[in-house]
Amino acid sequence: RKEVEQDPGPFNVPEGATVAFNCTYSNSASQSFFWYRQDCRKEPKLLMSVYSSGNEDGRFTAQLNRASQYISLLIRDSKLSDSATYLCVVRGNNNDMRFGAGTRLTVKP
Amino acid sequence: DTGVSQDPRHKITKRGQNVTFRCDPISEHNRLYWYRQTLGQGPEFLTYFQNEAQLEKSRLLSDRFSAERPKGSFSTLEIQRTEQGDSAMYLCASRPGASYNEQFFGPGTRLTVL
């Protein structure tokens, strides 16, 4: 079993749609959680950290459920520019970072 | 450009040859990470440095792989006796101290082993 698992995707949605990505992790001792975005042939960049109480940044909402070892990302009012691969990332207590395989999102006009 | 830099950006080598990649992190970032990414997969953690100390190594880092960060600034990743399965993008990332979460990635070095 992979340490971080994500929805396989791809997700193809029209502009304005709401889309949700899920992620589960296996290490219950994980300390920190993130969503990164990676554009084609580019390096990953931090989208947002994920906090236990849930957090929102504009159209993006992240949720964490430690009991279920589950993380989610919700994107509202999708834009064409949201098209990318979204990576779920978990940091362990040794500061090692574990990435999911990523979920590809394509937003179409 | 004050971001993370990696050199070379592309490397083509023949099977069995040794290769070395360099990463220059953002100045004063004491944490430095190496990852490997293949098509359709997320980055796979390879190793992690805090200053010059290598604190964590993945089981993916076989005996053919070695990483150093001798002065706590730039880092090198060497692959000996390359195999075709080593073909991948090698990413370096850095971040400041423990209280800061975001990792800043370099553009990567794409390795092709023929």
Side-chain angles (χ1 to χ4, degrees), chain A:
Chain A
R1 182 187 172 190
K2 290 185 178 180
E3 294 187 58
V4 181
E5 297 204 57
Q6 296 186 237
D7 283 346
F11 285 67
N12 298 304
V13 302
E15 271 188 290
T18 296
V19 61
F21 304 142
N22 302 318
C23 170
T24 57
Y25 60 95
S26 60
N27 183 357
S28 60
S30 298
Q31 299 285 309
S32 305
F33 310 89
F34 312 91
W35 285 100
Y36 273 69
R37 169 188 171 136
Q38 187 171 27
D39 293 296
C40 189
R41 300 185 185 278
K42 297 286 188 179
E43 68 273 21
K45 292 185 178 179
L46 179 68
L47 177 66
M48 60 196 302
S49 299
V50 186
Y51 302 117
S52 297
S53 56
N55 49 298
E56 187 173 310
D57 183 2
R59 298 181 292 108
F60 299 84
T61 301
Q63 298 278 352
L64 167 65
N65 183 324
R66 284 187 182 269
S68 302
Q69 295 178 204
Y70 170 92
I71 305 161
S72 66
L73 176 68
L74 183 77
I75 305 176
R76 293 182 299 278
D77 189 23
S78 300
K79 311 293 185 190
L80 296 176
S81 58
D82 293 334
S83 297
T85 296
Y86 290 83
L87 300 162
C88 176
V89 186
V90 175
R91 187 164 76 210
N93 52 5
N94 290 327
N95 279 302
D96 54 312
M97 303 282 277
R98 300 287 186 248
F99 284 72
T103 301
R104 182 177 292 179
L105 171 66
T106 301
V107 181
K108 299 185 174 181

Side-chain angles (χ1 to χ4, degrees), chain B residues 69-89:
Chain B
R69 195 183 183 198
K71 297 181 180 179
S73 56
F74 73 91
S75 176
T76 58
L77 178 68
E78 180 182 15
I79 309 174
Q80 295 182 328
R81 305 181 303 282
T82 52
E83 302 172 355
Q84 287 185 324
D86 296 332
S87 295
M89 176 73 83

Side-chain angles (χ1 to χ4, degrees), chain B residues 2-96:
Chain B
T2 57
V4 179
S5 61
Q6 292 187 244
D7 182 68
R9 295 290 304 276
H10 303 275
K11 179 70 177 179
I12 299 174
T13 191
K14 292 183 179 179
R15 190 173 50 188
Q17 297 295 306
N18 299 342
V19 294
T20 300
F21 308 143
R22 176 178 170 127
C23 170
D24 286 89
I26 294 172
S27 179
E28 299 181 355
H29 279 196
N30 59 23
R31 266 74 167 169
L32 186 148
Y33 298 77
W34 283 101
Y35 297 89
R36 179 174 67 190
Q37 187 173 26
T38 54
L39 193 64
Q41 298 297 315
E44 295 175 294
F45 171 81
L46 293 179
T47 190
Y48 156 65
F49 290 87
Q50 182 175 321
N51 299 311
E52 65 275 10
Q54 189 174 19
L55 297 186
E56 190 73 15
K57 284 177 62 172
S58 166
R59 285 171 294 175
L60 293 174
L61 218 63
S62 74
D63 291 344
R64 298 185 297 106
F65 287 70
S66 62
E68 293 183 343
R69 195 183 183 198
K71 297 181 180 179
S73 56
F74 73 91
S75 176
T76 58
L77 178 68
E78 180 182 15
I79 309 174
Q80 295 182 328
R81 305 181 303 282
T82 52
E83 302 172 355
Q84 287 185 324
D86 296 332
S87 295
M89 176 73 83
Y90 289 83
L91 291 163
C92 175
S94 71
R95 69 182 178 98

